[in-house]
Every structure is written in structure tokens, then in C-alpha cells.
Amino acid sequence: MTKLDYLHETASQTAGPYVHIGLIPNQAGFDIYENNFSNVLAGQATKGERIRIEGCVFDGTGTPLRDALIEIWQANAAGRYNHPADAQQKKKLDPDFRGWGRAGTHFETGVYAFQTIKPGAVVGRSGRPMAPHINFWIVARGINVGLNTRMYFSDEPDANGKDPVLNLIEQETRRDTLIATREETKDGVLYRFDIRLQGERETVFFDI
Amino acid sequence: MAAESEYFQRDRALQPPAYTPAYKTSVTRSPSRALLSLANSLSEVTGPVFGHAELGALDHDLVRNYARTGDPIGPRIIVHGRVLDENARPVPNALIEIWQANAGGRYRHKKDNYLAPIDPNFGGCGRTLSDAEGCYFFRTIRPGPYPWRNYINSWRPAHIHVSIFGAAFAQRLVTQMYFEGDPLIATCPIVQTIPDAGAVDRLIARLDLNESIPLDTMAYRFDIVLRGRRSTLFENRLAGN
């Protein structure tokens, strides 16, 4: 076989138990950077419905991971990503929304949380709309390659029913693993989204 | 802008599988079902963009970014290299974040209780953006090896954790950089999760005497390769509207 002159992607390694030092040093227990990346994506001027996302990442025994790190990436309220590759010109960029954040799970409870806005629908491949969703990336001790998944919204049943990615999941019952449940609390709208790494209700993870 | 092109499929033969029982923690943390392969949409070919204004002037200098009473203890090193994609094109403006133990093998972390001492002048993290040619560099001290609970007598080879953002969420990567000549690499269950010897070898930084500063600091070279993207020779139904 002819050997083509491509480089090979660098191999992944686990983020390990001390991932906080590098990515969220405040949680590791010290203050070093002036500007810290955080789990708050929406500022005062950001457009859109304020939401909180909360959940746990469970291992195969049902125990929450207390040392996981999660990053999310999402479109703005109009359904546009703040990135040059998103050419949906009819939708406005929101200068007050990057659409990215990171959070560690709590050292005792294992709960993670994000404060953000609900994204709008983004156009998918072939112009088919995708239901509103947030992209998740999970790393931790014991995870050799970061895991990609998506969170959809329980109050979007019609859009979810037509979503081209959810419809790729052959076992319909597994689609539910990607749908966060909406709750109205006294502090506002909360979506609960638990991630299960393994077992009966294992979350659907993607090879993107 | 031809930025909508899709990324090459990740070559899983060069990546560790999820379930690697010799690295015990992976046993209950590995998905047991196949990953669902997803053709790229806007959600995968976009990703956060970072700017220089978000970083501090010393963020890339671990010798100085937490110094209180003097420099940290340990061999002073430069870690440098390029961020490229699989087409060998430079990846500019890539956010690279690193973290590591100090020279004694101790992390500045609430949960690390190894008996080696904390270094009062060493935080152990840094970050930078690659330049237009994909080049990056850090100054730090060489981390020490340390014991961990896998087998009773397991020792991690000296390493620096590296997190990289490319241009897209599909390129997101976390890895570890090792040091040329370290005898612990060959037996480390975490290193050995990678099934391909060449892929392991590419995680080992080489001593780079050319870039070393005489009488001051040794240099190690570590190049990072992110996924490449197809040329847009023909449309493949990615773009919408």
C-alpha cells in the first residue's frame, strides 16, 4: 500500500485526578490566573432564556464521579455558533455570548452545574434543522479519550422527534439518555442531565 | 471562507480504547456500548475562539507565574513545539493548557496527599496560544515521577498534562507529554493504554539542545497533531440554508 504523507493525530491520555490544576485551578484550591474560565456562560447582556444545567456523571456501579471535568459548547439563543465556520447569516451573533464553559464535578456530591441560556435550533447537514442541543465533552481519571455527547431539551418534543442525530440512534429507548428534564424551580429554570458512563442506561456517546 | 469542511475520521487504532483493564480505573468508567459515529455538522466543526487578552503575561511561564519568595526548585526546562493538523498545516491560535507535579512529584491540589512537599513557588499550571505558525512554548521545571494506586508499586513516569483546543470542538484533545529516556514509560499502565508503539513514541518529548539556553535552561520539543480536515473538492451536504 502506498504510504501517504499525512501526520497522525496525537494520542489521547486520561486527564487524571488533578485536571483541576490545569483547567480550573480555583477548584484545585489555589488562585493563579487573573482571568478564569468558568461554568457561567451567560452574562447580564446575553440574550435568551436563562437556564441552569445540573447533573452527575455516574460510573458503572452507579457512583457519581467526583473528579470529572465537563465542557459544553453551544449556539446562542438565535441558533448560531460564535465561530467563523457558522455562516448562518440570517441569525445574529450575540457579542455577549461565546457559548463555551467548563465545570468540575463537586468533590463531595459529584454534582456539576452550568449557568447559560437555552440555545436556538441550528441547521444540520443537508439543511435539515437540528433540535436545540448543547454539546458535551467529558474527561476524568479512567477516561482514556474524552467522551462526546449531546444534551437535548425535554420541552422540545416535536423538534427532538425530527432531530437527525437522535434519529440515528437505533434503539429508541436510548434516545432518552440525551434528553434533559426541565424543572421550574424558585431560582429559575433547571435542566437535569445525568450522564451514565456504563451500564443499563448508558448515555449515548458519539464518535464525532 | 472554506471553513465548513469536515474533519478526518479519528483513527481509533492510534487512540487508546475506553476499556483498558491494566489501568484499573477505566474498568467502571468506560462505555461498554459502541460509540455512535456522527458525520460532522456545525456543532462539531465549530468551537470556542480564545484571544490573547484573556491570558496574563506570565501564564506561560511556570517558573514565575506562582513565584513568591524565589524560583521553584528543580531542573529549569523549556517545552516547545508546533501544533499541526494531520495535513501538516500549522494550527494558529490554539489554546494550550498544561498542568504538572513539582520536581518532587507532588501536585498543588487538595486531593494530593503524597508525602513529597509542596513547593511554595510553584503552582504547576500554565497556558498559551499558538502563534501564526502553530508554534508555542512554556518555561517550567521538570516534574518528578510519583507513586499512584494502580498496583501496589506503580510509579508514573514524569509527565506534563496537555489540553489543546484547535479550531473545532471535533479537535479537542487532552494528552500527556513524557520525557525521552524515562525508564518508567515502558511499564506505565496509562501510557500502555495506547495500542500503537508509534503513537506512544510521539508522546515522548525529545531533548532539544539547539533550543536550550546555555548555562540556564534545557529545552524539550513536543509537537502536537490535531485532526486534519478534508479539502472542499466537492460539497458534501454539510452547509445548510
Side-chain angles (χ1 to χ4, degrees), chain A residues 7 9-14 20 28 35 60 67 71 73 81 83 98 102 125-126 133 141-142 144 150 197-198 202 205 207, chain B residues 10 12 15 17 20 23 27-33 36 40 43-44 46-47 54 86 97 109 127 167 172 175-176 178 225 237:
Chain A
L7 301 179
E9 185 190 17
T10 300
S12 171
Q13 292 269 265
T14 178
H20 318 87
N35 172 41
D67 52 11
E71 288 184 355
W73 169 241
Y81 286 104
H83 185 277
R98 169 150 62 190
R102 60 169 50 137
R125 293 173 65 85
S126 315
H133 65 276
R141 180 172 66 101
N144 291 327
R150 289 182 176 195
L197 298 180
Q198 200 184 77
E202 183 176 308
F205 296 104
D207 188 3
Chain B
R10 179 165 267 157
R12 292 278 167 180
Q15 297 290 341
T20 47
Y23 172 29
V27 171
T28 57
R29 295 183 168 198
S30 44
S32 58
R33 301 182 203 277
L36 182 62
N40 286 174
S43 297
E44 290 77 38
T46 57
E54 297 180 81
E86 290 169 296
E97 296 163 287
H109 190 286
R127 55 190 187 178
R172 191 79 179 87
T175 189
Q176 300 181 29
Y178 303 95
V225 180
R237 304 188 299 168

Short mmCIF file of all heavy atoms in Angstrom, two decimals, chain A residues 7 9-14 20 28 35 60 67 71 73 81 83 98 102 125-126 133 141-142 144 150 197-198 202 205 207, chain B residues 10 12 15 17 20 23 27-33 36 40 43-44 46-47 54 86 97 109 127 167 172 175-176 178 225 237:
data_model
loop_
_atom_site.label_atom_id
_atom_site.label_comp_id
_atom_site.label_asym_id
_atom_site.label_seq_id
_atom_site.Cartn_x
_atom_site.Cartn_y
_atom_site.Cartn_z
N LEU A 7 0.28 13.31 8.70
CA LEU A 7 0.66 13.14 10.10
C LEU A 7 -0.46 12.38 10.81
O LEU A 7 -1.57 12.25 10.30
CB LEU A 7 0.87 14.50 10.76
CG LEU A 7 1.94 15.40 10.13
CD1 LEU A 7 2.01 16.73 10.89
CD2 LEU A 7 3.30 14.73 10.12
N GLU A 9 -2.85 12.00 14.26
CA GLU A 9 -3.33 12.73 15.43
C GLU A 9 -2.62 12.24 16.70
O GLU A 9 -2.43 11.04 16.89
CB GLU A 9 -4.85 12.51 15.61
CG GLU A 9 -5.43 13.34 16.74
CD GLU A 9 -6.87 12.97 17.11
OE1 GLU A 9 -7.33 11.88 16.73
OE2 GLU A 9 -7.51 13.79 17.79
N THR A 10 -2.22 13.17 17.54
CA THR A 10 -1.61 12.83 18.82
C THR A 10 -2.56 11.95 19.63
O THR A 10 -3.76 12.21 19.68
CB THR A 10 -1.29 14.12 19.60
OG1 THR A 10 -0.40 14.92 18.82
CG2 THR A 10 -0.66 13.83 20.94
N ALA A 11 -2.00 10.92 20.26
CA ALA A 11 -2.85 10.02 21.06
C ALA A 11 -3.34 10.73 22.32
O ALA A 11 -2.63 11.53 22.91
CB ALA A 11 -2.07 8.77 21.44
N SER A 12 -4.56 10.41 22.70
CA SER A 12 -5.15 10.95 23.92
C SER A 12 -4.63 10.19 25.14
O SER A 12 -4.27 9.02 25.04
CB SER A 12 -6.67 10.81 23.83
OG SER A 12 -7.28 11.12 25.06
N GLN A 13 -4.58 10.87 26.27
CA GLN A 13 -4.35 10.22 27.55
C GLN A 13 -5.34 10.78 28.55
O GLN A 13 -5.82 11.92 28.39
CB GLN A 13 -2.91 10.48 28.04
CG GLN A 13 -1.84 9.82 27.20
CD GLN A 13 -1.47 8.44 27.71
OE1 GLN A 13 -0.54 8.23 28.45
NE2 GLN A 13 -2.27 7.44 27.31
N THR A 14 -5.60 10.02 29.59
CA THR A 14 -6.56 10.48 30.60
C THR A 14 -6.16 11.84 31.17
O THR A 14 -4.97 12.14 31.29
CB THR A 14 -6.67 9.46 31.75
OG1 THR A 14 -7.58 9.96 32.72
CG2 THR A 14 -5.33 9.22 32.43
N HIS A 20 -8.09 19.60 37.56
CA HIS A 20 -8.48 20.93 38.04
C HIS A 20 -7.31 21.91 38.03
O HIS A 20 -7.49 23.09 37.76
CB HIS A 20 -9.07 20.83 39.44
CG HIS A 20 -9.98 19.66 39.60
ND1 HIS A 20 -9.51 18.41 39.96
CD2 HIS A 20 -11.30 19.53 39.39
CE1 HIS A 20 -10.52 17.55 39.98
NE2 HIS A 20 -11.62 18.20 39.63
N ALA A 28 -8.95 23.31 42.41
CA ALA A 28 -7.82 22.57 42.98
C ALA A 28 -7.42 23.18 44.33
O ALA A 28 -6.78 22.52 45.14
CB ALA A 28 -6.64 22.59 42.03
N ASN A 35 -7.75 35.80 34.97
CA ASN A 35 -8.99 35.52 34.27
C ASN A 35 -9.20 34.00 34.24
O ASN A 35 -8.40 33.28 33.66
CB ASN A 35 -8.89 36.08 32.85
CG ASN A 35 -10.05 35.66 32.00
OD1 ASN A 35 -11.20 35.63 32.45
ND2 ASN A 35 -9.77 35.29 30.76
N GLY A 60 -20.01 2.79 36.24
CA GLY A 60 -20.77 1.56 36.03
C GLY A 60 -21.38 0.97 37.29
O GLY A 60 -22.26 0.11 37.21
N ASP A 67 -14.41 13.59 40.33
CA ASP A 67 -13.21 14.21 39.77
C ASP A 67 -13.31 14.38 38.26
O ASP A 67 -12.31 14.39 37.56
CB ASP A 67 -11.96 13.39 40.14
CG ASP A 67 -12.10 11.91 39.77
OD1 ASP A 67 -13.06 11.55 39.05
OD2 ASP A 67 -11.24 11.11 40.20
N GLU A 71 -16.95 20.02 29.66
CA GLU A 71 -17.03 21.26 28.88
C GLU A 71 -18.27 21.21 28.01
O GLU A 71 -18.64 20.14 27.51
CB GLU A 71 -15.79 21.43 28.00
CG GLU A 71 -14.56 21.78 28.81
CD GLU A 71 -13.33 22.07 27.97
OE1 GLU A 71 -13.38 21.90 26.73
OE2 GLU A 71 -12.31 22.43 28.56
N TRP A 73 -20.41 23.30 24.75
CA TRP A 73 -20.28 24.18 23.59
C TRP A 73 -21.65 24.29 22.95
O TRP A 73 -22.28 23.27 22.67
CB TRP A 73 -19.25 23.62 22.62
CG TRP A 73 -19.20 24.29 21.28
CD1 TRP A 73 -19.44 23.71 20.07
CD2 TRP A 73 -18.87 25.65 20.99
NE1 TRP A 73 -19.28 24.62 19.07
CE2 TRP A 73 -18.94 25.83 19.60
CE3 TRP A 73 -18.54 26.75 21.80
CZ2 TRP A 73 -18.68 27.05 18.98
CZ3 TRP A 73 -18.28 27.98 21.18
CH2 TRP A 73 -18.35 28.11 19.79
N TYR A 81 -23.63 29.57 16.14
CA TYR A 81 -22.38 29.40 16.90
C TYR A 81 -21.48 30.60 16.70
O TYR A 81 -21.36 31.14 15.59
CB TYR A 81 -21.63 28.14 16.44
CG TYR A 81 -22.26 26.86 16.91
CD1 TYR A 81 -23.00 26.05 16.04
CD2 TYR A 81 -22.12 26.44 18.23
CE1 TYR A 81 -23.57 24.86 16.48
CE2 TYR A 81 -22.69 25.24 18.67
CZ TYR A 81 -23.41 24.47 17.79
OH TYR A 81 -23.97 23.30 18.23
N HIS A 83 -18.53 31.37 15.87
CA HIS A 83 -17.34 30.78 15.23
C HIS A 83 -17.41 31.08 13.73
O HIS A 83 -18.51 31.03 13.15
CB HIS A 83 -17.35 29.26 15.47
CG HIS A 83 -16.13 28.56 14.96
ND1 HIS A 83 -15.98 28.19 13.64
CD2 HIS A 83 -15.00 28.18 15.60
CE1 HIS A 83 -14.80 27.60 13.49
NE2 HIS A 83 -14.19 27.58 14.66
N ARG A 98 -20.12 33.66 24.19
CA ARG A 98 -19.17 32.81 23.47
C ARG A 98 -19.75 31.43 23.25
O ARG A 98 -19.52 30.80 22.23
CB ARG A 98 -17.86 32.71 24.26
CG ARG A 98 -16.94 31.63 23.70
CD ARG A 98 -15.46 31.90 23.88
NE ARG A 98 -15.08 31.99 25.27
CZ ARG A 98 -13.88 32.43 25.67
NH1 ARG A 98 -12.98 32.80 24.79
NH2 ARG A 98 -13.59 32.50 26.94
N ARG A 102 -16.76 25.47 31.22
CA ARG A 102 -16.28 24.20 31.80
C ARG A 102 -16.60 24.17 33.29
O ARG A 102 -16.68 25.19 33.94
CB ARG A 102 -14.78 24.02 31.56
CG ARG A 102 -13.91 25.07 32.15
CD ARG A 102 -12.40 24.73 32.12
NE ARG A 102 -11.85 24.30 30.88
CZ ARG A 102 -10.66 24.72 30.40
NH1 ARG A 102 -9.95 25.61 31.07
NH2 ARG A 102 -10.20 24.24 29.27
N ARG A 125 -26.89 18.98 8.71
CA ARG A 125 -26.43 18.58 7.38
C ARG A 125 -27.60 18.60 6.39
O ARG A 125 -28.73 18.35 6.77
CB ARG A 125 -25.81 17.18 7.45
CG ARG A 125 -24.54 17.15 8.26
CD ARG A 125 -24.05 15.73 8.45
NE ARG A 125 -23.65 15.12 7.19
CZ ARG A 125 -22.43 15.25 6.65
NH1 ARG A 125 -21.52 15.98 7.26
NH2 ARG A 125 -22.15 14.67 5.52
N SER A 126 -27.31 18.90 5.18
CA SER A 126 -28.32 18.96 4.11
C SER A 126 -29.43 19.96 4.42
O SER A 126 -30.53 19.83 3.90
CB SER A 126 -28.98 17.58 3.89
OG SER A 126 -28.03 16.59 3.87
N HIS A 133 -29.74 21.91 21.11
CA HIS A 133 -28.93 20.98 21.90
C HIS A 133 -27.65 21.66 22.34
O HIS A 133 -27.25 22.69 21.80
CB HIS A 133 -28.60 19.72 21.09
CG HIS A 133 -27.73 19.99 19.91
ND1 HIS A 133 -28.23 20.42 18.70
CD2 HIS A 133 -26.39 19.92 19.74
CE1 HIS A 133 -27.23 20.59 17.84
NE2 HIS A 133 -26.10 20.31 18.45
N ARG A 141 -10.18 11.00 35.33
CA ARG A 141 -9.38 9.82 35.63
C ARG A 141 -10.15 8.59 35.14
O ARG A 141 -11.36 8.48 35.36
CB ARG A 141 -9.22 9.78 37.16
CG ARG A 141 -8.44 8.65 37.73
CD ARG A 141 -8.25 8.90 39.21
NE ARG A 141 -9.52 8.86 39.95
CZ ARG A 141 -9.93 7.80 40.67
NH1 ARG A 141 -9.19 6.73 40.77
NH2 ARG A 141 -11.09 7.86 41.30
N GLY A 142 -9.49 7.69 34.46
CA GLY A 142 -10.16 6.48 34.00
C GLY A 142 -10.84 6.60 32.64
O GLY A 142 -11.32 5.61 32.10
N ASN A 144 -10.02 7.35 28.91
CA ASN A 144 -8.80 7.44 28.09
C ASN A 144 -8.91 8.44 26.95
O ASN A 144 -7.91 9.06 26.58
CB ASN A 144 -8.45 6.06 27.53
CG ASN A 144 -8.00 5.10 28.62
OD1 ASN A 144 -7.38 5.53 29.61
ND2 ASN A 144 -8.30 3.83 28.47
N ARG A 150 -24.41 14.80 23.51
CA ARG A 150 -25.23 15.99 23.35
C ARG A 150 -26.35 15.97 24.37
O ARG A 150 -26.87 14.89 24.71
CB ARG A 150 -25.90 16.03 21.97
CG ARG A 150 -24.96 16.30 20.82
CD ARG A 150 -25.77 16.36 19.53
NE ARG A 150 -24.93 16.73 18.40
CZ ARG A 150 -25.41 17.13 17.22
NH1 ARG A 150 -26.73 17.20 17.03
NH2 ARG A 150 -24.60 17.44 16.23
N LEU A 197 -21.82 6.51 32.39
CA LEU A 197 -20.70 6.06 31.56
C LEU A 197 -20.86 4.62 31.12
O LEU A 197 -20.28 4.20 30.12
CB LEU A 197 -19.38 6.20 32.33
CG LEU A 197 -19.00 7.63 32.74
CD1 LEU A 197 -17.68 7.61 33.50
CD2 LEU A 197 -18.88 8.53 31.50
N GLN A 198 -21.64 3.87 31.86
CA GLN A 198 -21.66 2.42 31.65
C GLN A 198 -22.92 1.84 32.26
O GLN A 198 -23.44 2.39 33.22
CB GLN A 198 -20.44 1.86 32.39
CG GLN A 198 -19.95 0.51 31.98
CD GLN A 198 -18.80 0.09 32.88
OE1 GLN A 198 -19.03 -0.32 34.01
NE2 GLN A 198 -17.58 0.20 32.39
N GLU A 202 -26.80 3.41 29.96
CA GLU A 202 -25.60 4.10 29.49
C GLU A 202 -25.95 5.21 28.49
O GLU A 202 -26.73 4.99 27.55
CB GLU A 202 -24.68 3.06 28.84
CG GLU A 202 -23.35 3.61 28.35
CD GLU A 202 -22.46 2.49 27.81
OE1 GLU A 202 -22.26 1.48 28.51
OE2 GLU A 202 -21.98 2.63 26.67
N PHE A 205 -22.86 7.94 23.54
CA PHE A 205 -21.69 8.78 23.24
C PHE A 205 -21.39 8.70 21.76
O PHE A 205 -21.64 7.69 21.11
CB PHE A 205 -20.48 8.32 24.06
CG PHE A 205 -20.68 8.47 25.54
CD1 PHE A 205 -20.95 7.36 26.33
CD2 PHE A 205 -20.63 9.72 26.15
CE1 PHE A 205 -21.16 7.49 27.70
CE2 PHE A 205 -20.83 9.87 27.52
CZ PHE A 205 -21.11 8.75 28.29
N ASP A 207 -18.84 9.26 18.31
CA ASP A 207 -17.53 9.40 17.70
C ASP A 207 -17.70 10.50 16.67
O ASP A 207 -18.26 10.27 15.60
CB ASP A 207 -17.12 8.07 17.04
CG ASP A 207 -15.69 8.10 16.55
OD1 ASP A 207 -15.00 9.12 16.77
OD2 ASP A 207 -15.26 7.10 15.96
N ARG B 10 -11.49 10.17 13.10
CA ARG B 10 -10.43 9.88 14.07
C ARG B 10 -9.96 8.44 13.89
O ARG B 10 -10.76 7.52 13.78
CB ARG B 10 -11.00 10.09 15.48
CG ARG B 10 -10.02 9.80 16.58
CD ARG B 10 -10.52 10.37 17.90
NE ARG B 10 -10.00 11.72 18.12
CZ ARG B 10 -10.55 12.62 18.90
NH1 ARG B 10 -11.68 12.35 19.52
NH2 ARG B 10 -10.00 13.81 19.05
N ARG B 12 -9.02 5.44 15.29
CA ARG B 12 -9.13 4.82 16.62
C ARG B 12 -8.03 3.79 16.88
O ARG B 12 -7.78 3.42 18.03
CB ARG B 12 -10.51 4.18 16.78
CG ARG B 12 -11.64 5.20 16.85
CD ARG B 12 -11.79 5.80 18.24
NE ARG B 12 -12.65 6.99 18.26
CZ ARG B 12 -12.94 7.69 19.36
NH1 ARG B 12 -12.45 7.33 20.52
NH2 ARG B 12 -13.71 8.75 19.29
N GLN B 15 -5.54 5.46 19.01
CA GLN B 15 -6.05 6.00 20.26
C GLN B 15 -6.32 4.87 21.25
O GLN B 15 -6.65 3.76 20.84
CB GLN B 15 -7.36 6.77 20.02
CG GLN B 15 -7.23 7.98 19.11
CD GLN B 15 -6.45 9.12 19.78
OE1 GLN B 15 -6.32 9.15 21.00
NE2 GLN B 15 -5.94 10.04 18.98
N PRO B 17 -8.29 2.41 23.58
CA PRO B 17 -9.70 2.05 23.73
C PRO B 17 -10.19 2.52 25.10
O PRO B 17 -9.40 2.86 25.98
CB PRO B 17 -9.70 0.53 23.64
CG PRO B 17 -8.32 0.11 23.96
CD PRO B 17 -7.41 1.25 23.62
N THR B 20 -9.53 -0.53 29.39
CA THR B 20 -8.13 -0.95 29.43
C THR B 20 -7.85 -1.48 30.85
O THR B 20 -7.40 -0.72 31.71
CB THR B 20 -7.21 0.24 29.11
OG1 THR B 20 -7.64 1.38 29.89
CG2 THR B 20 -7.26 0.61 27.64
N TYR B 23 -5.16 -0.51 33.39
CA TYR B 23 -5.38 0.80 34.03
C TYR B 23 -6.73 0.67 34.72
O TYR B 23 -7.78 0.83 34.13
CB TYR B 23 -5.36 1.90 32.97
CG TYR B 23 -5.76 3.28 33.47
CD1 TYR B 23 -5.55 3.67 34.79
CD2 TYR B 23 -6.34 4.20 32.61
CE1 TYR B 23 -5.91 4.93 35.23
CE2 TYR B 23 -6.70 5.47 33.04
CZ TYR B 23 -6.49 5.82 34.36
OH TYR B 23 -6.85 7.07 34.80
N VAL B 27 -12.02 0.55 34.24
CA VAL B 27 -12.94 -0.59 34.18
C VAL B 27 -14.39 -0.15 34.39
O VAL B 27 -15.28 -0.56 33.65
CB VAL B 27 -12.52 -1.69 35.18
CG1 VAL B 27 -13.59 -2.78 35.29
CG2 VAL B 27 -11.19 -2.30 34.74
N THR B 28 -14.64 0.70 35.38
CA THR B 28 -16.03 1.12 35.62
C THR B 28 -16.35 2.46 34.96
O THR B 28 -17.46 2.96 35.09
CB THR B 28 -16.32 1.27 37.13
OG1 THR B 28 -15.39 2.20 37.68
CG2 THR B 28 -16.22 -0.07 37.83
N ARG B 29 -15.37 3.06 34.28
CA ARG B 29 -15.61 4.37 33.67
C ARG B 29 -15.59 4.33 32.15
O ARG B 29 -15.51 5.37 31.50
CB ARG B 29 -14.57 5.37 34.21
CG ARG B 29 -14.72 5.61 35.71
CD ARG B 29 -13.77 6.64 36.24
NE ARG B 29 -14.12 7.06 37.60
CZ ARG B 29 -13.69 8.16 38.19
NH1 ARG B 29 -12.88 8.99 37.55
NH2 ARG B 29 -14.07 8.47 39.41
N SER B 30 -15.63 3.15 31.58
CA SER B 30 -15.57 3.01 30.12
C SER B 30 -16.93 2.63 29.58
O SER B 30 -17.54 1.66 30.04
CB SER B 30 -14.54 1.94 29.76
OG SER B 30 -14.70 0.81 30.59
N PRO B 31 -17.44 3.38 28.60
CA PRO B 31 -18.69 2.96 27.97
C PRO B 31 -18.54 1.54 27.41
O PRO B 31 -17.50 1.19 26.86
CB PRO B 31 -18.85 3.97 26.82
CG PRO B 31 -18.07 5.16 27.24
CD PRO B 31 -16.91 4.63 28.03
N SER B 32 -19.58 0.74 27.59
CA SER B 32 -19.49 -0.64 27.09
C SER B 32 -20.15 -0.78 25.73
O SER B 32 -19.99 -1.79 25.07
CB SER B 32 -20.15 -1.59 28.10
OG SER B 32 -21.49 -1.21 28.31
N ARG B 33 -20.91 0.24 25.33
CA ARG B 33 -21.54 0.17 24.01
C ARG B 33 -20.70 0.95 23.00
O ARG B 33 -19.94 1.84 23.37
CB ARG B 33 -22.95 0.74 24.09
CG ARG B 33 -23.80 -0.02 25.09
CD ARG B 33 -25.21 0.48 25.14
NE ARG B 33 -25.84 0.15 26.41
CZ ARG B 33 -26.40 -1.03 26.69
NH1 ARG B 33 -26.42 -1.98 25.79
NH2 ARG B 33 -26.93 -1.25 27.88
N LEU B 36 -21.50 6.04 18.80
CA LEU B 36 -22.28 6.23 17.57
C LEU B 36 -21.54 7.23 16.67
O LEU B 36 -21.28 8.36 17.07
CB LEU B 36 -23.66 6.78 17.94
CG LEU B 36 -24.63 6.99 16.77
CD1 LEU B 36 -24.94 5.68 16.07
CD2 LEU B 36 -25.93 7.63 17.27
N ASN B 40 -19.93 15.11 10.56
CA ASN B 40 -19.80 16.47 11.10
C ASN B 40 -20.97 17.35 10.71
O ASN B 40 -21.40 17.40 9.56
CB ASN B 40 -18.53 17.14 10.57
CG ASN B 40 -17.25 16.61 11.20
OD1 ASN B 40 -16.17 16.99 10.78
ND2 ASN B 40 -17.36 15.75 12.19
N SER B 43 -22.23 21.73 14.71
CA SER B 43 -21.92 21.54 16.13
C SER B 43 -20.52 20.98 16.36
O SER B 43 -19.92 21.21 17.40
CB SER B 43 -22.94 20.59 16.77
OG SER B 43 -24.23 21.14 16.71
N GLU B 44 -19.99 20.25 15.38
CA GLU B 44 -18.67 19.64 15.54
C GLU B 44 -17.56 20.44 14.90
O GLU B 44 -16.41 20.38 15.33
CB GLU B 44 -18.67 18.22 14.96
CG GLU B 44 -19.48 17.21 15.74
CD GLU B 44 -20.98 17.35 15.52
OE1 GLU B 44 -21.39 17.63 14.39
OE2 GLU B 44 -21.75 17.20 16.50
N THR B 46 -17.39 23.70 14.66
CA THR B 46 -17.18 24.97 15.34
C THR B 46 -16.60 24.68 16.73
O THR B 46 -16.58 23.54 17.17
CB THR B 46 -18.51 25.72 15.50
OG1 THR B 46 -19.42 24.87 16.20
CG2 THR B 46 -19.11 26.11 14.15
N GLY B 47 -16.17 25.72 17.40
CA GLY B 47 -15.63 25.57 18.75
C GLY B 47 -15.26 26.93 19.28
O GLY B 47 -15.23 27.91 18.53
N GLU B 54 -7.31 37.41 27.01
CA GLU B 54 -7.81 36.60 28.13
C GLU B 54 -6.69 36.02 28.97
O GLU B 54 -6.94 35.48 30.05
CB GLU B 54 -8.66 35.45 27.57
CG GLU B 54 -9.88 35.93 26.83
CD GLU B 54 -10.69 34.77 26.29
OE1 GLU B 54 -11.46 34.19 27.07
OE2 GLU B 54 -10.53 34.43 25.09
N GLU B 86 -3.33 17.03 10.70
CA GLU B 86 -2.83 15.82 10.02
C GLU B 86 -2.38 16.09 8.59
O GLU B 86 -1.72 15.26 7.97
CB GLU B 86 -3.90 14.73 10.06
CG GLU B 86 -4.11 14.17 11.46
CD GLU B 86 -5.33 13.28 11.55
OE1 GLU B 86 -6.46 13.79 11.35
OE2 GLU B 86 -5.17 12.08 11.81
N GLU B 97 -3.22 24.37 27.37
CA GLU B 97 -3.15 24.49 28.83
C GLU B 97 -2.38 23.28 29.36
O GLU B 97 -2.62 22.16 28.91
CB GLU B 97 -4.56 24.52 29.42
CG GLU B 97 -5.36 25.75 28.98
CD GLU B 97 -6.86 25.60 29.23
OE1 GLU B 97 -7.51 24.83 28.50
OE2 GLU B 97 -7.37 26.24 30.15
N HIS B 109 -2.73 20.40 44.85
CA HIS B 109 -4.12 20.02 44.69
C HIS B 109 -4.63 19.49 46.03
O HIS B 109 -3.97 18.69 46.68
CB HIS B 109 -4.25 18.93 43.61
CG HIS B 109 -5.65 18.63 43.19
ND1 HIS B 109 -6.52 17.93 43.97
CD2 HIS B 109 -6.33 18.96 42.06
CE1 HIS B 109 -7.69 17.83 43.33
NE2 HIS B 109 -7.59 18.45 42.17
N ARG B 127 -0.65 28.32 30.53
CA ARG B 127 -1.45 28.29 29.30
C ARG B 127 -0.89 29.31 28.32
O ARG B 127 -0.31 30.32 28.70
CB ARG B 127 -2.92 28.54 29.61
CG ARG B 127 -3.16 29.83 30.36
CD ARG B 127 -4.60 29.94 30.86
NE ARG B 127 -4.83 31.27 31.42
CZ ARG B 127 -5.98 31.68 31.91
NH1 ARG B 127 -7.03 30.89 31.92
NH2 ARG B 127 -6.11 32.91 32.40
N ALA B 167 -9.40 24.44 16.09
CA ALA B 167 -10.39 25.35 15.54
C ALA B 167 -11.81 24.85 15.75
O ALA B 167 -12.76 25.58 15.52
CB ALA B 167 -10.13 25.55 14.05
N ARG B 172 -10.80 18.75 19.88
CA ARG B 172 -10.48 18.85 21.31
C ARG B 172 -9.67 17.63 21.74
O ARG B 172 -10.05 16.49 21.43
CB ARG B 172 -11.79 18.95 22.09
CG ARG B 172 -11.64 19.31 23.56
CD ARG B 172 -11.42 20.77 23.76
NE ARG B 172 -11.30 21.07 25.19
CZ ARG B 172 -10.14 21.00 25.86
NH1 ARG B 172 -9.03 20.68 25.25
NH2 ARG B 172 -10.10 21.30 27.14
N THR B 175 -3.94 15.17 26.53
CA THR B 175 -2.95 14.10 26.50
C THR B 175 -1.91 14.34 27.59
O THR B 175 -2.08 15.20 28.46
CB THR B 175 -2.33 13.98 25.09
OG1 THR B 175 -1.54 12.79 25.05
CG2 THR B 175 -1.50 15.18 24.73
N GLN B 176 -0.85 13.54 27.57
CA GLN B 176 0.26 13.72 28.50
C GLN B 176 1.55 13.62 27.71
O GLN B 176 1.68 12.80 26.81
CB GLN B 176 0.23 12.64 29.60
CG GLN B 176 -1.05 12.69 30.43
CD GLN B 176 -1.09 11.64 31.54
OE1 GLN B 176 -0.05 11.24 32.08
NE2 GLN B 176 -2.29 11.19 31.88
N TYR B 178 5.63 12.95 27.82
CA TYR B 178 6.65 12.26 28.62
C TYR B 178 8.03 12.74 28.20
O TYR B 178 8.17 13.49 27.24
CB TYR B 178 6.49 10.75 28.46
CG TYR B 178 5.10 10.30 28.85
CD1 TYR B 178 4.09 10.14 27.87
CD2 TYR B 178 4.76 10.11 30.18
CE1 TYR B 178 2.80 9.78 28.24
CE2 TYR B 178 3.46 9.75 30.54
CZ TYR B 178 2.49 9.58 29.57
OH TYR B 178 1.22 9.25 29.93
N VAL B 225 -0.31 17.05 17.17
CA VAL B 225 -1.04 16.95 15.90
C VAL B 225 -2.53 16.80 16.19
O VAL B 225 -2.94 15.89 16.92
CB VAL B 225 -0.54 15.75 15.06
CG1 VAL B 225 -1.33 15.67 13.75
CG2 VAL B 225 0.95 15.88 14.78
N ARG B 237 -22.89 18.25 1.45
CA ARG B 237 -24.16 18.47 2.13
C ARG B 237 -24.00 18.94 3.57
O ARG B 237 -24.87 18.75 4.39
CB ARG B 237 -25.02 17.21 2.10
CG ARG B 237 -25.28 16.70 0.70
CD ARG B 237 -26.27 15.57 0.71
NE ARG B 237 -25.80 14.43 1.49
CZ ARG B 237 -26.56 13.42 1.86
NH1 ARG B 237 -27.84 13.42 1.55
NH2 ARG B 237 -26.08 12.42 2.55
#
